[in-house]
Amino acid sequence: MNSYRGKRVVVMGGAGFIGSFLCERLLRDGAEAVVVFDNLVTGHRRNLAGLEGDARFDFVLHDVCRPLTVAGPVDFVFNLASPASPIDYAQLWLETMRVGSEGTLRGLELAEAKGAVFLQASTSEIYGDPLEHPQRESYTGNVDPTRPRSVYDEAKRYAEALVSAFRRSRGVSTRIVRIFNTYGPRMRLEDGRVVPAFIGQALRGEDFTVFGDGSQTRSFCFVDDLVDGLVKLAASNVTDPVNLGNPDERTMLSFAQAVRDAAGGGGKIVFKPLPEGDPKQRRPDITRAKTLLGWEPRVPLDEGLAKTVAYFRALG
């Protein structure tokens, strides 16, 4: 049975990279209505261009830190609203913390008023520079709240606490997803994350910039796989946090080579100092997602990179 057929869904931050793919998936799954709230600070209307002619889709230019108003019933609220790359939250310090606190509150208030399921997009960044590897949902993290990156980490940690409080004290049906590195088309080329950074350097024939000695690790999940996990989680009855990511762990050096293979071009590797607070390793334990949701990533890195490179080539 399709959990979204005939349902009315709100997506906060739906003009962003992941949010736009989620909107498309919900409409493909038969949603009666998908309403996006986004202030376009980091999102873009072009991400939603393919949906503009669909009568079931509605875009509302709105700051989610202000009260959210939707006519009629709402079945699901997905909160993906937040700056999500280092270059963004290094410029939007207070805005990042406000959207994680006030924005999450507004979404929860809407879900409570409508009797809707509320899904909070959290992040692997709440684990900080982890002392446990791979990271399980039971790991409470290694985060310094005073570091430059902490505005994002702590906003998400606060959001998880707020979501949990609404579930316990007000009976709101909530879900929490901890998203690990995700990539794909519609990322912004200059957003500071490693995938668009490497692809941009490759397409321009520039040297690859690797921070630290290149031995630090990440695992990369293609956006289609991630969105599949989001819709499965929201439709489940799992209230505890769930990691969604690809456990295929790679060093930055090996990932640079993978991008070189996919995009061609690119010069030598240039090493720069590791940014303060940058985690040395990151890989999800997805046992909970596999066991409770029947979810695991399916798109191999070479296939996902090929699609992502093709998108950036088309942009010129």
Side-chain angles (χ1 to χ4, degrees), residues 100-166:
S101 53
E102 295 176 44
T104 303
L105 174 63
R106 298 307 185 188
L108 284 162
E109 289 173 337
L110 176 64
E112 182 184 17
K114 299 291 186 177
V117 172
F118 181 88
L119 181 140
Q120 172 65 27
S122 188
T123 173
S124 63
E125 295 294 328
I126 69 154
Y127 298 124
D129 191 4
L131 303 178
E132 172 181 297
H133 193 71
Q135 292 80 57
R136 297 171 294 177
E137 292 89 348
S138 59
Y139 178 55
T140 54
N142 178 35
V143 177
D144 181 346
T146 66
R147 294 286 181 93
R149 295 169 64 101
S150 68
V151 293
Y152 184 64
D153 307 349
E154 295 297 342
K156 292 295 189 180
R157 287 161 66 92
Y158 175 86
E160 287 198 20
L162 186 61
V163 168
S164 300
F166 262 74

Side-chain angles (χ1 to χ4, degrees), residues 26 73 81 86 88 95 116 147 152 158 193 215 217 271-272 291:
L26 291 166
D88 289 336
E95 293 87 345
R147 294 286 181 93
Y152 184 64
Y158 175 86
R193 286 182 276 193
S215 64
T217 65
F271 295 95
K272 291 191 175 181
T291 303

Side-chain angles (χ1 to χ4, degrees), residues 29-81:
D29 284 357
E32 177 185 306
V34 172
V35 180
V36 164
F37 289 99
D38 202 304
N39 64 1
L40 302 181
V41 169
T42 59
H44 204 287
R45 285 294 293 269
R46 67 170 172 264
N47 292 338
L48 300 168
L51 303 179
E52 298 289 2
D54 194 320
R56 300 171 297 159
F57 175 75
D58 188 26
F59 175 84
V60 182
L61 182 64
H62 184 83
D63 180 353
V64 299
C65 294
R66 294 163 43 213
L68 305 176
T69 302
V70 181
V74 174
D75 299 291
F76 294 90
V77 177
F78 288 81
N79 182 19
L80 280 75

Side-chain angles (χ1 to χ4, degrees), residues 28-310:
R28 283 200 308 272
D29 284 357
E32 177 185 306
V34 172
V35 180
V36 164
F37 289 99
D38 202 304
N39 64 1
L40 302 181
V41 169
T42 59
H44 204 287
R45 285 294 293 269
R46 67 170 172 264
N47 292 338
L48 300 168
L51 303 179
E52 298 289 2
D54 194 320
R56 300 171 297 159
F57 175 75
D58 188 26
F59 175 84
V60 182
L61 182 64
H62 184 83
D63 180 353
V64 299
C65 294
R66 294 163 43 213
L68 305 176
T69 302
V70 181
V74 174
D75 299 291
F76 294 90
V77 177
F78 288 81
N79 182 19
L80 280 75
S82 179
S85 69
I87 199 169
D88 289 336
Y89 45 79
Q91 299 171 355
L92 303 168
W93 306 96
L94 298 180
E95 293 87 345
T96 299
M97 299 208 76
R98 282 194 66 214
V99 75
S101 53
E102 295 176 44
T104 303
L105 174 63
R106 298 307 185 188
L108 284 162
E109 289 173 337
L110 176 64
E112 182 184 17
K114 299 291 186 177
V117 172
F118 181 88
L119 181 140
Q120 172 65 27
S122 188
T123 173
S124 63
E125 295 294 328
I126 69 154
Y127 298 124
D129 191 4
L131 303 178
E132 172 181 297
H133 193 71
Q135 292 80 57
R136 297 171 294 177
E137 292 89 348
S138 59
Y139 178 55
T140 54
N142 178 35
V143 177
D144 181 346
T146 66
R147 294 286 181 93
R149 295 169 64 101
S150 68
V151 293
Y152 184 64
D153 307 349
E154 295 297 342
K156 292 295 189 180
R157 287 161 66 92
Y158 175 86
E160 287 198 20
L162 186 61
V163 168
S164 300
F166 262 74
R167 176 174 59 82
R168 294 188 180 104
S169 68
R170 300 192 179 181
V172 177
S173 182
T174 63
R175 316 285 184 264
I176 297 172
V177 55
R178 292 176 180 164
I179 298 174
F180 283 68
N181 292 68
T182 303
Y183 73 100
R186 300 182 195 157
M187 299 186 85
R188 296 180 358 253
L189 198 58
E190 305 298 336
D191 83 349
R193 286 182 276 193
V194 66
V195 174
F198 279 173
I199 291 176
Q201 289 170 336
L203 294 180
R204 293 188 298 266
E206 299 172 355
D207 294 337
F208 284 91
T209 302
V210 171
F211 294 96
D213 62 5
S215 64
Q216 67 272 29
T217 65
R218 296 292 185 274
S219 54
F220 298 93
C221 184
F222 190 62
V223 64
D224 288 352
D225 283 333
L226 188 279
V227 167
D228 186 57
L230 295 181
V231 297
K232 281 183 166 65
L233 177 58
S236 77
N237 60 1
V238 179
T239 58
D240 290 331
V242 176
N243 289 336
L244 290 182
N246 194 323
D248 178 18
E249 184 180 15
R250 301 192 176 226
T251 67
M252 288 297 94
L253 281 176
S254 68
F255 185 66
Q257 186 56 53
V259 172
R260 192 197 305 268
D261 292 343
K268 62 182 182 297
I269 301 285
V270 175
F271 295 95
K272 291 191 175 181
L274 194 67
E276 183 180 3
D278 194 57
K280 309 299 189 303
Q281 54 186 2
R282 187 64 57 74
R283 175 163 65 94
D285 182 318
I286 61 169
T287 302
R288 184 175 287 178
K290 292 170 70 173
T291 303
L292 301 179
L293 306 178
W295 177 90
E296 60 184 317
R298 302 187 182 281
V299 179
L301 184 63
D302 58 350
E303 179 182 332
L305 282 176
K307 293 179 178 179
T308 308
V309 168

